[in-house]
Amino acid sequence: MERIRDAALKCFAAYGTAATSLRYIADTAEVSIGLVQHHFGTKDGLITAVDEHVLTVLGSNLAGTSPAPSPDPVGDHGHRVTRLIAEHTDVIDYVVRALLEETPTGNFIFDTLFAMGETRWNQHRDDQLTAPGLDPTWAALNPLLLVLGAMTLRSHLDRHLPEAFTSAAQLARWESSVNTLIQRGQLSTPPPTIQES
């Protein structure tokens, strides 16, 4: 069942849900169309399964779990985002497609990510970590735009980087750059730089 769902995720991310047939998904998963229908019924059932999987992956990878404030909240969250991109590129590609096609799932994902960011930045404000006068709406939107913009424009980024954006080295460069931008622009005092020994 996961094999079919994962094949559907890749196909939907590449071609969109409307342009992808159950037969194409079955061929990609190397199973019969009857097996796809047995497990998921219709294409809508398969889309629902993919959506639920995507939301689970996003939630489990982006939610902070530590009750104590972090000395580097931006860096901690940035690392979670980078790990999500590195380990679940198909999920990110699916999210980007859903956002660009303005599907109900895309709208829900964007609104959920925005709400998570808003909660995170409100906590930073309550912890007196934010820069004076920081606009709370844009504090949540800016990091979201940096991540989704990079994923949406990935093929263009690849043309200007020495290797693929999703390679470990380039993701590390990107994470460092984005973290610095957000820390210096949205936090009152950037966290101290940790010296490596």
Side-chain angles (χ1 to χ4, degrees), residues 24-162:
Y24 187 77
I25 293 167
D27 290 346
T28 302
E30 299 179 340
V31 299
S32 70
I33 193 167
L35 189 61
V36 175
Q37 292 169 324
H38 171 74
H39 286 296
F40 299 99
T42 64
K43 186 162 81 168
D44 285 342
L46 186 51
I47 291 169
T48 299
V50 169
D51 288 348
E52 289 170 356
H53 172 66
V54 165
L55 292 171
T56 298
V57 169
L58 292 174
S60 65
N61 280 271
L62 296 179
T65 56
S66 174
S70 166
D72 182 10
V74 170
D76 290 347
H77 186 71
H79 184 67
R80 287 194 297 273
V81 170
T82 303
R83 189 177 63 237
L84 172 67
I85 293 169
E87 296 175 3
H88 301 282
T89 304
D90 291 335
V91 167
I92 298 298
D93 289 342
Y94 180 81
V95 168
V96 168
R97 166 100 34 200
L99 291 171
L100 293 175
E101 292 182 353
E102 297 184 22
T103 67
T105 298
N107 293 340
F108 178 77
I109 289 171
F110 188 90
D111 294 346
T112 299
L113 293 174
F114 172 73
M116 290 171 73
E118 196 171 40
T119 299
R120 195 169 50 255
W121 282 97
N122 285 338
Q123 184 61 54
H124 296 339
R125 183 198 61 227
D126 293 347
D127 293 339
Q128 300 181 357
L129 298 174
T130 58
L134 182 67
D135 183 315
T137 301
W138 280 104
L141 285 172
N142 283 329
L144 191 53
L145 291 172
L146 288 167
V147 173
L148 296 175
M151 293 311 299
T152 302
L153 299 172
R154 192 171 74 213
S155 63
H156 295 289
L157 297 178
D158 286 348
R159 294 185 300 109
H160 295 277
L161 297 172

